[in-house]
Amino acid sequence: MSRSCLAVILAAGDSTRMKSSKSKVLHDVAGRPMIAHVMAAVAAAGVSDAALVVGRDADAVAKAAALEGLNVETVLQTERRGTGHAVLTAKDAIARGYDDVIVTYGDVPLVQPSSFAAARERLAEGADVVVIGFHTDKPTGYGRLLVEGGELIAIREERDATDEERKVTWCNSGLMAINGRNALAFLERITNNNAKGEYYLTDVVEIARSAGGKVVAVDAPETEVAGCNNRAELASLEKLWQQRRRHEVMVSGVTMIAPETVFLSFDTKIGQDAIIEPNVVFGPGAVIEEGAVIHAFSHIEGARVASGATVGPFARLRPGADLMEGSKVGNFCEVKNATIAEGAKVNHLTYIGDAAVGAKSNIGAGTITCNYDGVNKHKTTIGANAFIGSNSSLVAPVSIGDGSYVASGSVITEDVPANALALGRARQEVKPERASVIRERALALKAAKKASK
């Protein structure tokens, strides 16, 4: 759309019902602050400029709302005098003369760009105000949208509605779009002549109509315009987001055996023919490529799993983990800031951190890279086709050459050249009959303690 557009995002609420030490718009949905979801939707709707109305935690909210490609101007609302007053806090931005002005809220993270686009389309067709509404079978408490002849004639609040008007199930979401040429004039005519003494944005409907303007409503799904006031509603938003995103992922060609147990992040990428088993959690920054298999009870964040690789069950991939094609990280393993090359296997009960594992190498069960000396992190490099025996400790910085063997139970503190065998363990000693002596001594001590009581 070639029309210029300003988005006014209201994010200055005190969030008292959230009972939180931070603004509610900073709480995450799918690993991303609610305000960031809203800003992404605004930008995707073709909006280039935004006026972010902030109050509590102003700097943190502005930082969370920053988005590349979207010019965001922050304005501080020092008084809480209603939604109309909040929008007018952005008066200077509105006065610049945009074609369209859209108004939305920082706590509606599920809103889609298509809803904003639909509202802007009606403005382009000649409407002066477009209200975004939703249909619900539980309209109690919401303002009703009263439509006649295709135009919105009023938004009737529950307390003011007649019995007949209360039967209306098309309700006001609070989101709207206003013709930019008239927006400031409409907004400045809002008064606080009401029981609460507040300036209500919804009064724009009657103001525009009294000026001969055209007011219409467009529809959005109820779940899309749901807001958040407390932790229970936050959990509901998370559930709705996950349901929507899981469906999108599955129809793109991904198998989820028990989708309701899989939790995605806002930026999770999963390729076609990947298989995700039950009870898998993806944190931010996870990329799963085509045909990869993520077994049950795994947690993946900031990591890449290449085509044909397998993870888990009960595995954790932390940021910087990079699994190449056909590699494997087995059960009860953890990988952090490490590359696992093509065909390499990291078997059960193993920790690989700050490391590079070469192609087709085998890391035995219970192996750990000792990457931290109490002050600094150090790297372990394991060459191709190496074999690391079970229960080995590789004390970084250390390098294991191509084709080398490390004997089980070894502590490796020095580099191992290619094709060498490294043993770093004490020589075994066997004391015949010593176990019987130890056992008899222990039994005698136990009996003496019992007799002394």
Side-chain angles (χ1 to χ4, degrees):
M1 187 177 290
S2 60
R3 296 166 61 90
S4 62
C5 183
L6 171 72
V8 179
I9 299 98
L10 306 184
D14 289 328
S15 313
T16 53
R17 284 179 286 176
M18 203 72 176
K19 299 188 186 305
S20 175
S21 60
K22 63 183 180 182
S23 169
K24 69 178 175 181
V25 302
L26 295 176
H27 285 264
D28 284 355
V29 171
R32 188 186 208 184
M34 284 191 278
I35 187 63
H37 283 277
V38 175
M39 304 307 284
V42 163
V47 178
S48 59
D49 297 323
L52 178 66
V53 180
V54 297
R56 180 183 180 185
D57 299 325
D59 292 342
V61 172
K63 182 178 180 181
L67 185 67
E68 185 176 354
L70 182 64
N71 179 37
V72 182
E73 175 184 353
T74 302
V75 290
L76 182 65
Q77 183 184 8
T78 57
E79 297 180 277
R80 308 290 184 268
R81 301 175 65 187
T83 51
H85 174 262
V87 175
L88 268 178
T89 305
K91 177 179 179 178
D92 291 346
I94 297 170
R96 296 190 187 113
Y98 293 88
D99 293 320
D100 306 334
V101 174
I102 61 175
V103 179
T104 187
Y105 297 84
D107 65 344
V108 284
L110 305 188
V111 66
Q112 292 292 284
S114 56
S115 291
F116 294 134
R120 293 187 64 198
E121 187 66 32
R122 297 305 301 272
L123 291 180
E125 293 170 356
D128 289 283
V129 176
V130 182
V131 173
I132 298 176
F134 64 96
H135 282 89
T136 177
D137 57 359
K138 297 179 179 179
T140 302
Y142 294 108
R144 310 302 206 279
L145 302 185
L146 306 182
V147 177
E148 288 184 5
E151 292 194 23
L152 181 66
I153 61 170
I155 300 176
R156 190 78 76 229
E157 295 303 324
E158 173 95 10
R159 61 181 176 275
D160 301 320
T162 65
D163 289 342
E164 194 64 27
E165 288 170 343
R166 289 194 181 101
K167 295 178 183 178
V168 174
T169 59
W170 202 10
C171 299
N172 177 34
S173 72
L175 283 63
M176 69 169 59
I178 309 172
N179 184 322
R181 295 186 301 275
N182 302 322
L184 201 54
F186 291 161
L187 291 165
E188 288 182 330
R189 286 180 57 190
I190 297 174
T191 70
N192 65 342
N193 186 23
N194 53 62
K196 286 191 173 183
E198 294 186 348
Y199 297 83
Y200 295 132
L201 180 62
T202 50
D203 288 352
V204 164
V205 171
E206 293 184 18
I207 291 169
R209 285 180 59 81
S210 68
K214 182 179 181 180
V215 181
V216 299
V218 295
D219 198 38
E222 181 180 4
T223 54
E224 184 180 314
V225 294
C228 179
N229 291 302
N230 54 51
R231 307 298 179 115
E233 290 177 355
L234 180 65
S236 294
L237 290 175
E238 181 75 34
K239 181 179 179 180
L240 290 169
W241 190 97
Q242 293 292 342
Q243 289 173 338
R244 185 170 72 188
R245 185 62 183 135
R246 289 172 194 140
H247 178 76
E248 293 170 350
V249 169
M250 287 187 288
V251 297
S252 74
V254 174
T255 295
M256 290 186 182
I257 296 172
E260 70 279 4
T261 69
V262 175
F263 290 85
L264 306 164
S265 193
F266 72 98
D267 60 351
T268 303
K269 295 180 176 62
I270 306 180
Q272 183 177 315
D273 291 322
I275 297 175
I276 313 298
E277 290 187 356
N279 297 294
V280 173
V281 175
F282 295 99
V287 177
I288 312 301
E289 296 185 355
E290 294 183 2
V293 177
I294 311 300
H295 292 295
F297 294 97
S298 293
H299 187 286
I300 301 175
E301 178 177 358
R304 182 182 77 102
V305 181
S307 177
T310 63
V311 177
F314 294 96
R316 184 185 183 196
L317 302 186
R318 291 169 56 193
D322 191 0
L323 277 59
M324 302 296 189
E325 292 186 9
S327 61
K328 173 189 175 182
V329 170
N331 50 300
F332 299 100
C333 290
E334 181 174 342
V335 178
K336 186 270 295 187
N337 191 32
T339 299
I340 312 300
E342 293 85 350
K345 296 180 180 180
V346 177
N347 293 305
H348 43 289
L349 301 166
T350 291
Y351 170 70
I352 302 294
D354 299 297
V357 178
K360 297 183 179 179
S361 286
N362 186 91
I363 312 299
T367 295
I368 60 171
T369 55
C370 307
N371 55 326
Y372 184 50
D373 64 7
V375 178
N376 298 305
K377 298 290 180 70
H378 301 282
K379 186 174 182 178
T380 298
T381 301
I382 301 171
N385 295 296
F387 182 92
I388 310 299
S390 298
N391 200 35
S392 294
S393 297
L394 309 180
V395 183
V398 71
S399 178
I400 311 298
D402 293 349
S404 293
Y405 272 65
V406 171
S408 296
S410 292
V411 177
I412 302 299
T413 59
E414 298 179 1
D415 291 350
V416 178
N419 296 309
L421 168 64
L423 298 95
R425 62 192 183 205
R427 182 179 295 276
Q428 178 177 319
E429 292 187 32
V430 177
K431 305 289 187 180
E433 302 300 325
R434 182 64 62 86
S436 297
V437 174
I438 293 171
R439 189 178 301 111
E440 290 171 2
R441 184 186 301 157
L443 289 171
L445 180 61
K446 182 179 180 180
K449 288 181 177 180
K450 186 176 181 180
S452 64
K453 290 183 179 180

